[in-house]
Amino acid sequence: MKALVIIVTIISLSAVIGSLIVGTAVFDGKVIDKPYETGLAYDEIENAKRELRFDVLNKELKKGRNEVFFTLRDHLDRPIADPQMVFMISRPSTTRYDREFQYYYAGEGRYRAEVYFPLHGYWDIRLKLLKDWKPVIIEKRVYVNMR
């Protein structure tokens, strides 16, 4: 029994040591280029997101065709009219169902889009827009019922 424990311990330690040797040989230690500049850009985008209010007005969505109503307002609750944006839907677990849809301005910061949800479950509704010439993506997670 002692011999078996010793053999398993030696094999386990060999696997760990081998993984460490391969990992240090392959990984150069750099996660991203220019981390300071990337961090500053991230902060700017997050601050821009905080200045926007995006709400989906539908109480219930169903599998298939839906009219999705949403609002886009600034941090002072003023409507944002005609921003440069893309309206899209996406599944949280895959990019397979990512789709863009046409939206229409309905006045007072309200918008309407004809959307087709092929599956029930959770979906992300995303607005990709330019704010001060920087791309900003804001999203809301919604649940789509079976019927």
Side-chain angles (χ1 to χ4, degrees):
M1 184 67 175
K2 287 184 181 181
L4 181 61
V5 170
I6 292 173
I7 291 172
V8 169
T9 304
I10 291 173
I11 292 173
S12 300
L13 286 175
S14 299
V16 169
I17 291 170
S19 297
L20 289 173
I21 291 171
V22 170
T24 55
V26 173
F27 181 60
D28 65 357
K30 186 185 339 177
V31 177
I32 61 170
D33 291 329
K34 300 182 182 179
Y36 179 73
E37 291 83 0
T38 303
L40 289 178
Y42 176 82
D43 288 343
E44 287 179 24
I45 290 171
E46 288 301 309
N47 288 335
K49 282 183 185 180
R50 280 188 218 107
E51 293 179 4
L52 299 170
R53 305 285 185 259
F54 167 51
D55 288 308
V56 177
L57 302 176
N58 297 66
K59 298 292 184 217
E60 187 174 306
L61 297 167
K62 64 183 179 353
K63 181 180 162 185
R65 295 209 177 280
N66 290 268
E67 242 185 346
V68 175
F69 298 95
F70 62 97
T71 60
L72 183 61
R73 303 177 93 68
D74 67 10
H75 66 289
L76 298 173
D77 205 34
R78 295 178 300 208
I80 298 176
D82 200 27
Q84 292 180 326
M85 71 176 173
V86 175
F87 176 86
M88 60 190 303
I89 64 168
S90 176
R91 292 284 281 190
S93 58
T94 181
T95 59
R96 181 176 174 195
Y97 297 103
D98 288 5
R99 301 285 185 274
E100 292 181 6
F101 292 93
Q102 182 69 35
Y103 64 90
Y104 304 96
Y105 186 61
E108 296 297 314
R110 289 176 288 131
Y111 297 85
R112 175 180 63 86
E114 296 285 332
V115 178
Y116 179 78
F117 293 105
L119 301 170
H120 73 283
Y122 286 102
W123 288 83
D124 291 329
I125 296 179
R126 290 188 181 136
L127 297 181
K128 183 178 180 181
L129 51 106
L130 288 176
K131 177 133 177 42
D132 300 326
W133 300 101
K134 293 181 180 72
V136 176
I137 297 174
I138 51 179
E139 65 185 19
K140 291 288 180 182
R141 183 154 294 170
V142 296
Y143 186 79
V144 174
N145 292 315
M146 189 70 156
R147 292 245 173 227

